[in-house]
Amino acid sequence: MKIVRTFATSANIGPGFDTLGICYDVYNEYSFEISKSFCLEKFKKEFSCPDSNLIIDSYKKTFEFLNKELIKITLKEEVQNIPECRGMGSSASCIVAGVLIANEVLGNILSKDEIFNIAASLEGHPDNVAPLIFGGFTSSYKSDKFYTNKFSVNSDYKFLLLISPFKLSTKKAREVLPKQVDIHVATSNIANTISTIYALQNGDIDQLIRANNDLLHEPYRLSLIENADIIKKIAKENNASAYISGAGPTMLVISKCDISDKFILENWGKVLVNINNEGAFVYEK
């Protein structure tokens, strides 16, 4: 039995809007095998139809992208740890799973960079799929194609995900963003993104906190996330830095020690996570 494992991610990381991303050790797994028709097993009802399942859709589009004759599969959900619509890269996880399964069925004909470019094209932006495919902490962008850079993260940092009890669609979170920004906003975010990368590499928590001054997306999205301002305030009071994870509503807190007991939020989940440096992969069981 072959299984694809994909991981949760946080995109944006404050000022790194649509650019920065981190891969965690929280994962989903799906087993698959070639079959006479598309069949889904153990999925929730809303994801149990092949015509509306994002993994199958990405799988099919990979065949189209490569101009290959479609091979049907049976797909079974084995492990489900990444919540939907919480800003933890659930859609990117499904897209990457579909591309990786297609590549495996076709005999591993794609390089990791080709897998990344197909997945980023399907997702529409690379900040979640880059860390998911390459692992670790990445920045990514589009030029003639999608490119990514991978950075080390100081081992002293602790990563806490505060998972909200409610969902927030990426579409809704993008609708509140401005269509144009002032040049001073852009230059501020560029400077703070560079400082964020430097601080995560070198373990400078003070610089990380100073650089947590996004002007592109967080000011517009915080009002959509109940308790977000409280979380940011508690983090700052405890020498930590809090961010909207992806489009939210999950919040990411980065600190030098475990401060999870400082956040007392009704019905919110609290998960201390580690960075996964390997990225998504297929294995045989």
Side-chain angles (χ1 to χ4, degrees), residues 20-281:
L20 300 183
I22 299 177
C23 182
Y24 305 118
D25 57 356
V26 178
Y27 64 87
N28 290 349
E29 286 191 340
Y30 308 93
S31 62
F32 60 94
E33 60 183 1
I34 295 173
S35 57
K36 292 181 179 180
S37 61
F38 281 107
C39 180
L40 297 176
E41 298 179 7
K42 294 188 177 180
F43 283 86
K44 293 179 182 177
K45 185 177 180 180
E46 60 263 40
F47 306 122
S48 62
C49 176
D51 292 332
S52 58
N53 182 283
L54 186 55
I55 299 175
I56 295 296
D57 182 62
S58 302
Y59 174 87
K60 290 178 178 179
K61 286 179 178 175
T62 302
F63 275 80
E64 292 174 9
F65 187 88
L66 297 171
N67 196 28
K68 298 289 186 179
E69 185 176 350
L70 186 62
I71 301 170
K72 298 178 176 65
I73 59 169
T74 292
L75 183 68
K76 182 188 295 185
E77 183 178 277
E78 302 286 353
V79 178
Q80 176 68 33
N81 292 319
I82 306 171
E84 302 95 21
C85 299
R86 294 297 203 287
M88 293 172 61
S90 61
S91 62
S93 172
C94 291
I95 288 170
V96 170
V99 178
L100 286 176
I101 294 169
N103 182 51
E104 184 71 23
V105 169
L106 288 168
N108 292 300
I109 62 174
L110 299 171
S111 68
K112 187 168 282 193
D113 184 65
E114 289 170 330
I115 290 168
F116 166 56
N117 268 271
I118 292 172
S121 297
L122 295 177
E123 173 84 329
H125 45 91
D127 49 331
N128 274 310
V129 299
L132 177 50
I133 291 169
F134 294 98
F137 171 45
T138 63
S139 69
S140 48
Y141 63 98
K142 185 178 182 181
S143 181
D144 55 316
K145 64 174 187 174
F146 290 98
Y147 293 90
T148 190
N149 298 292
K150 185 173 178 179
F151 303 97
S152 62
V153 175
N154 189 280
S155 60
D156 289 341
Y157 283 122
K158 308 292 182 185
F159 295 84
L160 173 67
L161 292 176
L162 299 173
I163 305 172
S164 72
F166 53 89
K167 296 181 179 181
L168 176 61
S169 71
T170 301
K171 182 177 182 294
K172 183 176 181 180
R174 283 196 174 269
E175 284 175 350
V176 301
L177 301 182
K179 304 301 181 186
Q180 295 181 329
V181 297
D182 188 90
I183 191 170
H184 300 295
V185 169
T187 54
S188 172
N189 265 65
I190 291 169
N192 285 319
T193 299
I194 294 168
S195 293
T196 296
I197 294 170
Y198 178 86
L200 283 173
Q201 286 183 307
N202 291 279
D204 188 340
I205 188 68
D206 293 329
Q207 183 170 23
L208 187 68
I209 293 169
R210 287 196 304 272
N212 187 3
N213 183 32
D214 170 71
L215 301 175
L216 288 180
H217 73 109
E218 286 201 350
Y220 307 97
R221 289 171 167 172
L222 287 172
S223 62
L224 302 176
I225 305 172
E226 184 181 354
N227 292 321
D229 286 333
I230 295 172
I231 290 168
K232 278 187 164 285
K233 181 174 182 292
I234 293 172
K236 198 167 186 178
E237 290 172 347
N238 289 275
N239 200 38
S241 195
Y243 312 85
I244 298 175
S245 177
T250 290
M251 300 291 290
L252 165 64
V253 179
I254 304 177
S255 60
K256 282 293 190 76
C257 58
D258 181 3
I259 59 169
S260 55
D261 62 335
K262 304 295 183 182
F263 299 94
I264 303 172
L265 303 166
E266 188 175 0
N267 297 322
W268 282 64
K270 293 189 287 187
V271 183
L272 275 169
V273 294
N274 297 308
I275 291 181
N276 172 274
N277 278 298
E278 185 176 13
F281 61 91

